[in-house]
Amino acid sequence: MRRTYALIGTGALSVLALGAVPVLAQQGDGPEAGGPVLTFGISSTLSATDNYDLRPGGGDSADLFDNRLSFGYRNRRPNDTLSLDLSGVLRAVEPPTSSNTFDNRNARLGYQRQGVNSTLNFGANYSFSSVEARDPFDRGRLSEDDPLFEEDPLDETDFTQDRGDQQEIGAQFRLETGLNDLLGVILTARYRDRGYENTTDPDLFDSETLSLSGTTRFTLSPITEARVVLNYRDYSAEDDSRTDRQTSSVNLGLTQALSQVDTLDLSLGFQRIETDETLSGLRRFDTEEGVIGRIGLTRELTRGTIGTTFNLDRSENGRTATLLFNRTLPLPRGAIALSLGATSDVSDTIRPVGSLDFTHEILRSTLTASIERQVTTSDRSNELRTTRASVGYDYEINSLSGIGVSANFAELARAGGGPQVNDTIRADLRATYRRDLTRDWQLSTGYEYRIRDEDSVGEATSNRVFLTLQRSFSVRP
């Protein structure tokens, strides 16, 4: 208890310290303007839950006091932008658990440069968090508008229940040249090193991934563009079989405008996957190779687009084929994007897949909804069927206050091929009331209900109430 009260005192002092310097915040240009900008933030949350570990049959009740501190630096110039973001959580838990006192440590460095005929993007990130405190619905992914964005499908580690810590180091690089030339080149590189400490689940093991890609683009005419794409991926893991896997592929692509509204995109290639692993005490080498490709047809309509795509992919477990029909439609106060289709997995089973994104805004409220189902191959060689869905509603009571309701759902299930996977469901429901106390300070309170259901393990639920006081302000040095 003495340590808990000491941390509470530290958080209170942090709040007072930030509250003592409002004169530093300039009332002029915001962070979106040019030049260097420093952003400071603090968020103190007092919460209570009846099942902190989300264990079947009920777990430990706990009271938590989290103080999240954040710092951001942005320097926008005419041709480039440099950014640095740091954050962490000072946590006090009663009764004490294995959670770190200083948890959810995150650091990200980014640099973007726009030249006359080229673009350069670089990013590096570091994270450290307690496994038991992770939220699968808050994965900290990059925005789809970020040039370094990459799809990050759900995998087995997102739903694992365990103690211990996870550490991740990553770097991303993208260079594109010849933007205005007939010949252009795109080079990308990604690196990720993920490690675990003091965990007991055998599915939580250290891994390292390096991905390289090179694309050469040829503009043959105003309506025709060809490309050659080379990809390489090296994955190694300290799992029970000491997996070492190299994936390489070459693709030839063509984009052709068939008319003023119709566009055809073709890609045909060859992929080779080499896997080296230890099974029953013996080192085993396997190779999976074959044709991969994609064909897509898109038509521009008066309102939105319509199209269809067919993808032929391969993993170490075999071939998958996916057919999708797509439609995007702008609405008077929002937008909708829909795709429906089916995937034939490695066991030749047809599974429905698709996605839906919907946004609707009116004068004082916003409604958003999304759902996505896909078939993927995890790094653990499991064929997975993943489903994600979310609904959010936000209502502005007046200029100072508002309410929000959100629901999230995720399911991880076996889709054929590879070792057995326990079907697991995670869901949460949250209701929040917020109020602006001053220009910078905001108070929010609410309730959260969580569910976790895993085959052969059981169902677990928890209730949580919380109260948050937060502030964020920017200054120009």
Side-chain angles (χ1 to χ4, degrees), residues 83-159:
S83 62
L84 174 66
D85 294 286
L86 305 172
S87 64
V89 174
L90 292 170
R91 173 172 296 128
V93 184
E94 183 61 39
T97 70
S98 63
S99 292
N100 289 282
T101 302
F102 185 38
D103 203 1
N104 291 351
R105 312 168 208 170
N106 293 280
R108 176 170 175 78
L109 174 67
Y111 179 75
Q112 300 180 6
R113 182 173 182 83
Q114 179 70 52
V116 176
N117 202 33
S118 63
T119 61
L120 171 66
N121 295 272
F122 170 79
N125 60 277
Y126 167 82
S127 65
F128 184 94
S129 62
S130 298
V131 173
E132 62 183 356
R134 293 182 308 171
D135 185 351
F137 301 114
D138 184 18
R139 292 148 56 91
R141 299 190 306 162
L142 294 174
S143 167
E144 293 188 17
D145 297 329
D146 195 304
L148 297 175
F149 172 81
E150 183 182 37
E151 289 289 344
D152 185 19
L154 290 172
D155 63 24
E156 301 89 333
T157 62
D158 290 313
F159 296 133

Side-chain angles (χ1 to χ4, degrees), residues 255-363:
T255 301
Q256 175 71 43
L258 302 179
S259 67
Q260 292 184 346
V261 296
D262 296 315
T263 302
L264 177 67
D265 187 83
L266 298 171
S267 177
L268 184 64
F270 183 83
Q271 181 171 273
R272 180 182 177 89
I273 304 173
E274 300 176 344
T275 303
D276 195 8
E277 56 188 351
T278 301
L279 300 175
S280 302
L282 299 176
R283 201 66 180 167
R284 179 179 175 182
F285 182 81
D286 287 328
T287 300
E288 173 71 27
E289 59 185 20
V291 174
I292 57 175
R294 179 185 185 275
I295 180 171
L297 181 62
T298 304
R299 165 167 286 190
E300 297 284 344
L301 304 177
T302 304
R303 298 182 59 194
T305 64
I306 189 172
T308 182
T309 59
F310 176 77
N311 285 278
L312 185 64
D313 299 312
R314 288 189 177 273
S315 70
E316 58 271 21
N317 297 327
R319 174 193 56 80
T320 60
T322 302
L323 176 64
L324 286 173
F325 297 93
N326 312 292
R327 179 73 165 99
T328 63
L329 177 66
L331 302 175
R333 295 187 177 89
I336 185 171
L338 174 68
S339 68
L340 293 174
T343 293
S344 175
D345 62 22
V346 296
S347 60
D348 294 328
T349 301
I350 304 298
R351 303 181 185 276
V353 295
S355 64
L356 170 67
D357 287 289
F358 172 78
T359 303
H360 181 68
E361 297 181 0
I362 54 179
L363 183 62

Side-chain angles (χ1 to χ4, degrees), residues 210-228:
L210 173 65
S211 300
L212 303 173
S213 177
T215 301
T216 302
R217 173 184 53 80
F218 308 91
T219 303
L220 305 179
S221 73
I223 61 173
T224 306
E225 180 181 281
R227 61 188 178 273
V228 179

Side-chain angles (χ1 to χ4, degrees), residues 226-241:
R227 61 188 178 273
V228 179
V229 183
L230 300 176
N231 292 309
Y232 175 78
R233 186 175 189 265
D234 189 333
Y235 169 79
S236 60
E238 296 183 12
D239 54 359
D240 293 337
S241 57

